[in-house]
Amino acid sequence: MTNPTRAGSTPAPTRGAAPTAPGQAASAAAPAPKDRKIVLLFMGLMVTMLLASLNQTVLSSALPTIVGELNGVEHMSWVITAFILASTITMPIYGKISDVLGRKPLLLTAILLFMAGSVIGAVAGDMNLLIVGRTVQGLGGGGLMILSQAAIADVIPARERGKYMGIMGAVFAVSSVAGPLLGGWFTEGPGWRWVFWINIPLGILAALAAIFLLHLPAKQRGAERVRHDYLGMALMAVATTAIVLVGTWGGSQYAWGSATILGLIALAVVAAVAFVLVEKRADEPIIPLHLFADRNFTVTTIAALATGIAMFGAIGYMPTYLQMATGASATVAGLLMIPMMGSLLVTSVITGQMVSRTGRYKVLPIVGSLILGVGLALLSTVKADTPTPMICVFLGVIGIGLGSSMQILTLIVQNSFPLREVGTATAANNYFRQVGATLGSAVVGSVFISRLTTLIAEKFPQGTGSAGGTGSLTPDLVQSLPDGVRALVIESYNEALVPLFLYMVPLAIIAAIALCFVHEKPLATSVEHEIAAESLAEGQLLVTDEDEASDAVGPLEDATSGPQHRQR
């Protein structure tokens, strides 16, 4: 990166460099080595994003076999929810601390945690240990997702960031299908435990990429003296966990009016209020309240929350449904998700290119949210005898909606704040999206299992044992049942899950309405201008390279009337 200068002025030549003629400035501004470094950086970040996003979906097609083998259907939703919950809680922590200490050391920490959780899951002998492994995975996964997005903002200007975000959205699209596909292939081949073992070589690859490819700007000196918001972190974790437990246990393990659920609701409210009070007084709040003063942050956060509920509520259990209802194998169930992956991938890349080319971005996520609502409504019409290709078309419509909105919401947030807060703002926005994902996964899973158990009991009044018992129903077992019994089980799965998709349509509409209030701010065209404007506004020097520090002091001291404005 070049030395910070006054916004709009010509950067001073590097010490020892030959003078450059005005006509040569454009060609000298973006040398090939810099371009190659950005490409390598982006490749490294894509590896880490793939590692995290893959594990949000990889267990979906393997889940029926896992719960059948470990005999823990009552804990099925927690296998997915535990990962999302842990990653949600850690997202703002990674974002805030990385703004102070830098992305690279935290990224390596996240990778190591993720690999440790994978080992625990691979050797798990019961559902409880499996859930512990997924939790540890999530503690690392939250950092992988946030830091890969925030690091892009460190080196890519907002105007060009659209196409990079689009490609990252494509990575998520690939993982949304590659996850169930790999999970199915491992389940039918070497065994479901390889769903976890495969993360070890991938984690090593991600760590090597972080060590050798991620050469990011250094953060400000004096970062070690920052007082971290530990109380805020603890209160946020308590509030988030209480909310998710309400969604997971309410109506299934405990009645909605029970003392346990009401107590959790009260705990969530008290923790949330205490969190707000603490954030007002904290020197370095984990989620600064002034973020909500920005209209774009607030409306995109509302949209992200609603989209997260709908997205994970819909796709989290579709591979399971496809196996049970259509008789598809775990591998085929993963392949049947390809229409959603393909449409999300293509749409994400195209919309990212459109944003970079035109600089306009407001309309795309609005249209995408409406398309998502249409896809959910179509999915709610599925019956036990609906042709499989028709289900794939409905999933494709959902993919178009998600591809038009997800990554653009992140870009809108990043474009609304200075570089020194990009990690914090990105993490805060993703935190609320993941809260929605956690609630969507937990509530849908809880209601789905409760409805399924009730329906099985109604259809087999002599006891669920005649159908194998909901705790041991695997796809193979269902397909081996007599035709009449199998039809009743499939019908129960359909009645338990499919109507829930219709209840998510209003969420997509809420997201579209909220995004109508986005203020379409111009996208910055260079990272250097962002740094210069921020430094001059705050009277601080952001040291991006030790060798350039002495060169940067002169121009900034002139601009800020003395070296006393530099932060050491």
Side-chain angles (χ1 to χ4, degrees):
M1 295 179 64
T2 59
N3 296 333
T5 60
R6 289 179 176 85
S9 66
T10 303
T14 305
R15 188 188 316 173
T20 304
Q24 298 173 329
S27 60
K34 181 179 179 180
D35 293 339
R36 285 197 296 270
K37 287 181 180 179
I38 290 177
V39 170
L40 291 174
L41 166 65
F42 188 64
M43 290 173 60
L45 295 177
M46 286 179 66
V47 173
T48 60
M49 174 66 81
L50 178 64
L51 188 63
S53 58
L54 196 64
N55 278 270
Q56 288 186 307
T57 59
V58 70
L59 287 184
S60 55
S61 56
L63 204 52
T65 300
I66 293 173
V67 298
E69 181 178 319
L70 299 182
N71 195 27
V73 70
E74 68 275 10
H75 302 304
M76 183 171 70
S77 63
W78 270 106
V79 177
I80 296 176
T81 303
F83 179 89
I84 302 175
L85 174 59
S87 62
T88 300
I89 292 173
T90 55
M91 276 182 178
I93 298 173
Y94 279 113
K96 182 64 179 182
I97 297 178
S98 72
D99 276 344
V100 177
L101 300 181
R103 320 284 185 211
K104 191 170 183 176
L106 288 178
L107 185 57
L108 290 171
T109 300
I111 292 172
L112 291 176
L113 278 171
F114 189 87
M115 292 171 66
S118 297
V119 172
I120 295 173
V123 301
D126 55 45
M127 288 293 287
N128 291 329
L129 189 57
L130 179 65
I131 292 170
V132 170
R134 290 289 284 169
T135 302
V136 177
Q137 275 190 315
L139 295 177
L144 298 181
M145 287 184 281
I146 287 302
L147 298 175
S148 57
Q149 295 181 54
I152 283 292
D154 287 338
V155 293
I156 306 295
R159 179 64 179 264
E160 295 298 316
R161 211 175 298 152
K163 58 186 178 184
Y164 289 94
M165 287 295 187
I167 297 174
M168 279 196 161
V171 170
F172 180 86
V174 170
S175 65
S176 68
V177 172
L181 185 59
L182 281 174
W185 185 80
F186 282 127
T187 300
E188 295 175 353
W192 61 264
R193 295 182 188 278
W194 278 92
V195 170
F196 293 96
W197 286 125
I198 193 63
N199 291 325
I200 304 306
L202 287 176
I204 293 173
L205 180 62
L208 292 175
I211 293 170
F212 295 108
L213 301 181
L214 304 189
H215 303 295
L216 300 176
K219 292 301 176 181
Q220 299 181 40
R221 291 193 181 97
E224 66 276 3
R225 295 192 297 271
V226 172
R227 297 175 61 186
H228 295 297
D229 183 19
Y230 296 112
L231 181 56
M233 296 177 192
L235 289 170
M236 180 188 65
V238 171
T240 306
T241 302
I243 291 171
V244 173
L245 288 177
V246 169
T248 304
W249 290 346
S252 56
Q253 290 184 253
Y254 300 96
W256 287 106
S258 66
T260 299
I261 298 300
L262 293 178
L264 286 171
I265 293 174
L267 177 62
V269 172
V270 171
V273 172
F275 174 75
V276 172
L277 296 176
V278 168
E279 296 305 273
K280 286 183 177 180
R281 297 174 177 269
D283 293 334
E284 291 289 340
I286 196 70
I287 299 182
L289 299 183
H290 75 260
L291 297 179
F292 295 94
D294 184 274
R295 185 172 71 185
N296 282 1
F297 178 84
T298 302
V299 298
T300 54
T301 296
I302 293 172
L305 178 65
T307 301
I309 295 174
M311 177 174 64
F312 280 90
I315 70 175
Y317 293 92
M318 274 307 296
T320 298
Y321 172 80
L322 290 170
Q323 289 182 71
M324 292 295 192
T326 69
S329 65
T331 302
V332 172
L335 290 172
L336 291 177
M337 299 293 288
I338 284 181
M340 188 187 78
M341 182 266 308
S343 59
L344 199 161
L345 187 154
V346 172
T347 306
S348 181
V349 172
I350 291 176
T351 53
Q353 294 284 350
M354 290 172 61
V355 170
S356 291
R357 186 166 52 251
T358 66
R360 308 301 298 272
Y361 52 83
K362 179 177 180 177
V363 174
L364 290 172
I366 296 174
V367 174
S369 298
L370 294 175
I371 293 175
L372 173 62
V374 171
L376 290 169
L378 292 173
L379 208 57
S380 70
T381 65
V382 170
K383 304 296 182 184
D385 58 352
T386 299
T388 302
M390 186 63 68
I391 299 177
C392 292
V393 170
F394 297 162
L395 290 172
V397 174
I398 290 178
I400 293 174
L402 294 174
S404 301
S405 59
M406 281 199 310
Q407 297 303 314
I408 295 178
L409 296 183
T410 301
L411 176 63
I412 293 173
V413 170
Q414 292 183 344
N415 190 56
S416 299
F417 296 96
L419 284 176
R420 71 180 186 279
E421 288 189 311
V422 160
T424 301
T426 302
N429 181 262
N430 276 268
Y431 165 77
F432 289 103
R433 177 186 296 178
Q434 286 294 101
V435 166
T438 307
L439 284 175
S441 178
V443 172
V444 170
S446 176
V447 176
F448 166 50
I449 294 170
S450 177
R451 286 164 59 93
L452 178 62
T453 302
T454 301
L455 288 167
I456 290 291
E458 291 176 353
K459 296 180 188 299
F460 300 95
Q462 287 78 24
T464 58
S466 56
T470 57
S472 58
L473 280 176
T474 65
D476 290 341
L477 176 60
V478 170
Q479 296 308 310
S480 68
L481 294 172
D483 291 345
V485 176
R486 183 174 68 251
L488 288 176
V489 173
I490 293 174
E491 183 181 317
S492 298
Y493 261 82
N494 185 274
E495 293 178 16
L497 179 63
V498 170
L500 302 182
F501 297 141
L502 185 61
Y503 304 153
M504 302 178 197
V505 174
L507 295 171
I509 296 174
I510 290 172
I513 293 174
L515 291 171
C516 289
F517 294 94
V518 165
H519 172 54
E520 198 170 41
K521 302 175 183 178
L523 297 173
T525 56
S526 72
V527 176
E528 288 83 0
H529 286 176
E530 293 178 37
I531 294 176
E534 176 187 341
S535 299
L536 291 172
E538 297 295 328
Q540 296 178 340
L541 170 61
L542 295 183
V543 180
T544 58
D545 189 279
E546 292 294 334
D547 294 333
E548 295 182 354
S550 59
D551 290 334
V553 170
L556 283 175
E557 284 184 355
D558 293 340
T560 57
S561 302
Q564 68 273 18
H565 292 276
R566 288 183 280 124
Q567 178 170 334
R568 295 189 180 274

